[in-house]
Amino acid sequence: WKKVLEKKLEYEWGVGKIDKEKAEENRRELEDAKNSSFSRYADDEVINDRLKSRIRSGDPMAALLSSNSSRRNNNPNSFNAGQQAQQNNSKPVYKGPPPAPNRFGIQPGYRWDGIDRGSGF
């Protein structure tokens, strides 16, 4: 009986906590899949939530939704979040006199000389 108990404890020491949690999660998912119906539909909430929660490597919004950007911005969905992300990329920025406000709040390019050449329309 002691040998069985020792082997069980040795096994627990050989596996990390995160590995155990992943194995338990996989076991629960298999149990749920076994108890659910075979067919899945586009409006399945569990599958949609799982797919939405994944972080993909080519996702341009992943940087704005990460924890680092949420510390910088209180609201990562705000309009200024994109501008702040662009300013942190060490790209050149316009440093001249303040431009006239526009309805989108877009900053001028770094090569702009400060002269408004628009038609005023």
Side-chain angles (χ1 to χ4, degrees):
W1 174 252
K2 284 187 176 182
K3 289 182 180 180
V4 173
L5 185 60
E6 287 176 15
K7 284 195 176 214
K8 185 175 182 182
L9 289 175
E10 181 182 336
Y11 174 72
E12 287 182 12
W13 277 100
V15 178
K17 181 179 177 183
I18 295 176
D19 292 334
K20 287 180 189 177
E21 290 174 0
K22 285 183 181 179
E24 181 66 25
E25 178 74 25
N26 288 338
R27 190 190 60 76
R28 272 191 252 122
E29 285 182 15
L30 288 174
E31 286 294 322
D32 291 341
K34 185 168 62 171
N35 295 333
S36 66
S37 63
F38 181 72
S39 58
R40 294 182 172 181
Y41 298 99
D43 60 349
D44 189 359
E45 293 179 12
V46 175
I47 295 173
N48 286 338
D49 290 339
R50 188 179 307 143
L51 291 175
K52 286 179 185 177
S53 67
R54 283 188 189 160
I55 298 176
R56 293 168 182 83
S57 62
D59 189 6
M61 290 296 290
L64 294 176
L65 299 177
S66 69
S67 62
N68 293 337
S69 66
S70 66
R71 284 186 217 138
R72 279 182 285 162
N73 296 329
N74 292 338
N75 184 3
N77 295 327
S78 69
F79 175 74
N80 292 331
Q83 288 180 348
Q84 287 179 357
Q86 283 180 345
Q87 290 174 356
N88 293 334
N89 287 340
S90 71
K91 292 183 179 179
V93 180
Y94 174 70
K95 295 178 181 159
N102 57 46
R103 63 182 179 162
F104 299 112
I106 300 171
Q107 295 296 316
Y110 73 99
R111 293 182 177 164
W112 187 54
D113 59 359
I115 299 171
D116 184 12
R117 294 181 177 83
S119 64
F121 178 66

